[in-house]
Amino acid sequence: MTADRVARRVTDLLAPQVLVIVMPPVVGLLAQGWTGAAWGLVASALCGGIPAAVIALGVRSGRLDSHHIVDRARRTGPLLAAAAAVLVALALLILLGAPTLLVATVTAMLIALGVTVPITLRWKISFHAAVSAGTVVVLTDVLPPWPAALIGGAVVALVCWARVRLTHHTAAQVAAGAAVGTLTTWATLAAFGQW
């Protein structure tokens, strides 16, 4: 398998929409069993499912180049739809009394979007790096922290390598994305008392 093919596989398997759909039910399950997983599915459907559908429709209609939205100029609409979906998910989780960790996780998603969306309007920060790094931070809250951080850090490095290898981002853009994902998620979880 060539390096480019590996990079494409990594990019697809660890895409932001994939992680945002898969992570909440897994985190909910690990934190609170099947009840937590059910709450996580609600978060997944809204935070990941709706933006994924918006992007898929954009690709199908020809307005977007791919589900990775390589063309930075085309990111604004789908990102605003994602922010709106995350905001609705957050309000719903709070109103219905979802577990604190899932409320904190969705809040972190919203804050990360609040930081990365304005940046991407001027400079192509990596959402792959931001979401993968944020996911690792959340997983260190429900798994043994050091192994999760070490393995997760290696996965984030792989994602960053793949994005640079495919020339979708520069090293600075993936580093900035990873930093934003890590810091916003850690600060949010800490504010919710999860650390």
Side-chain angles (χ1 to χ4, degrees):
M1 189 178 287
T2 67
D4 286 347
R5 183 177 288 177
V6 170
R8 279 191 292 277
R9 291 261 172 92
V10 168
T11 289
D12 288 340
L13 288 173
L14 299 172
Q17 57 266 50
V18 172
L19 294 176
V20 171
I21 290 170
V22 172
M23 187 256 299
V26 169
V27 168
L29 179 66
L30 292 170
Q32 296 192 319
W34 292 111
T35 301
W39 281 109
L41 287 172
V42 171
S44 289
L46 293 168
C47 298
I50 290 174
V54 167
I55 291 168
L57 289 172
V59 170
R60 206 170 285 150
S61 71
R63 287 180 287 120
L64 300 176
D65 51 40
S66 75
H67 63 281
H68 298 301
I69 316 177
V70 176
D71 181 1
R72 180 177 52 85
R74 303 279 184 182
R75 288 180 164 193
T76 306
L79 289 173
L80 291 176
V86 172
L87 191 57
V88 168
L90 182 59
L92 190 61
L93 292 173
I94 291 169
L95 288 172
L96 296 177
T100 302
L101 178 57
L102 283 173
V103 172
T105 299
V106 173
T107 302
M109 289 180 196
L110 187 61
I111 292 169
L113 280 169
V115 173
T116 54
V117 169
I119 293 171
T120 203
L121 298 177
R122 300 186 66 75
W123 186 64
K124 195 178 172 193
I125 192 168
S126 174
F127 284 91
H128 274 76
V131 174
S132 63
T135 298
V136 170
V137 173
V138 173
L139 289 174
T140 62
D141 194 61
V142 293
L143 294 170
W146 285 110
L150 290 173
I151 294 167
V155 171
V156 172
L158 181 64
V159 168
C160 292
W161 166 82
R163 301 305 287 157
V164 173
R165 173 73 191 191
L166 296 173
T167 67
H168 291 177
H169 290 287
T170 65
Q173 290 165 341
V174 295
V180 167
T182 299
L183 294 173
T184 57
T185 305
W186 178 82
T188 304
L189 293 183
F192 274 82
Q194 295 299 305
W195 286 97

